[in-house]
Amino acid sequence: MAESAEKPKISAMEKAMRLLSRRALTERELRTKLGAAGYAYPEIRDTVAECRRRGFVNDEQFAADYAEILASRGLGGRRIRLALRQRGIPQPLQEQPLESAAESEAQRAREALEYKLRLLARETDPRKKREKAFRFLLSRGFSCDNCRAAIDEIDFNNNN
């Protein structure tokens, strides 16, 4: 009796629309979520193609928007590249957003360093303070050159 009371399964397109109404997804994320919901590969392939055709899924636009968001959060190019790769953005589509983010990377590194220096105010040893600041910038995904440039602008011997 319980088997006959089951709801009819919604179409893959309806499921895709529900998923995309919550947040933007990459093609790979949409395929993965539809596969986890139990849809067959041909149905998933057709649904993703239809979503792409209608403009509901656009990996190029997603990469640009997501890179901009991550850059505004103070992340460097390496961390942005990693995040795009984890979300399933193909390598060729990563290049343009990363080039755009690279233009302001030096400034973002300086801003991130200013933030970190406020947190390191209690550190009295200038060498340790400098090392911690450098590690922080590296962990945020900034290039070594931008880390060095930002660090070199600060006089760690004074109480900054």
Side-chain angles (χ1 to χ4, degrees), residues 45-69:
R45 181 191 62 224
D46 295 343
T47 300
V48 171
E50 181 64 16
C51 288
R52 186 182 328 110
R53 186 185 71 74
R54 291 183 180 187
F56 300 147
V57 176
N58 183 340
D59 282 355
E60 189 172 348
Q61 185 62 47
F62 181 92
D65 293 344
Y66 195 52
E68 186 178 323
I69 289 168

Side-chain angles (χ1 to χ4, degrees), residues 3-152:
E3 292 177 22
S4 63
E6 285 185 27
K7 289 183 186 178
K9 188 176 182 182
I10 63 173
S11 73
M13 189 57 142
E14 287 179 59
K15 179 71 172 177
M17 292 298 98
R18 287 182 182 178
L19 291 169
L20 291 168
S21 70
R22 292 185 189 123
R23 70 176 180 92
L25 298 172
T26 63
E27 288 183 25
R28 185 182 84 181
E29 289 173 326
L30 184 58
R31 276 194 302 270
T32 301
K33 288 182 181 289
L34 290 174
Y39 294 99
Y41 175 75
E43 193 174 7
I44 294 171
R45 181 191 62 224
D46 295 343
T47 300
V48 171
E50 181 64 16
C51 288
R52 186 182 328 110
R53 186 185 71 74
R54 291 183 180 187
F56 300 147
V57 176
N58 183 340
D59 282 355
E60 189 172 348
Q61 185 62 47
F62 181 92
D65 293 344
Y66 195 52
E68 186 178 323
I69 289 168
L70 295 176
S72 71
R73 291 181 185 168
L75 296 181
R78 290 189 348 242
R79 282 282 297 272
I80 294 171
R81 181 182 301 277
L82 176 64
L84 291 174
R85 189 177 318 135
Q86 287 174 337
R87 296 294 294 267
I89 301 296
Q91 179 69 30
L93 297 181
Q94 294 176 11
E95 296 309 316
Q96 179 60 37
L98 289 171
E99 287 174 15
S100 299
E103 294 171 5
S104 64
E105 185 168 321
Q107 177 61 33
R108 289 194 322 273
R110 285 190 294 274
E111 290 169 0
L113 180 59
E114 289 172 12
Y115 164 77
K116 186 61 175 179
L117 288 176
R118 287 193 302 265
L119 299 177
L120 292 173
R122 291 187 190 176
E123 182 63 61
T124 57
D125 185 1
R127 184 185 58 80
K128 284 185 181 180
K129 194 175 200 179
R130 183 180 180 97
E131 289 172 357
K132 287 179 180 181
F134 193 80
R135 282 193 307 268
F136 170 76
L137 291 175
L138 284 177
S139 74
R140 302 287 295 205
F142 294 105
S143 69
C144 286
D145 292 338
N146 284 326
C147 292
R148 270 192 218 101
I151 295 281
D152 288 344

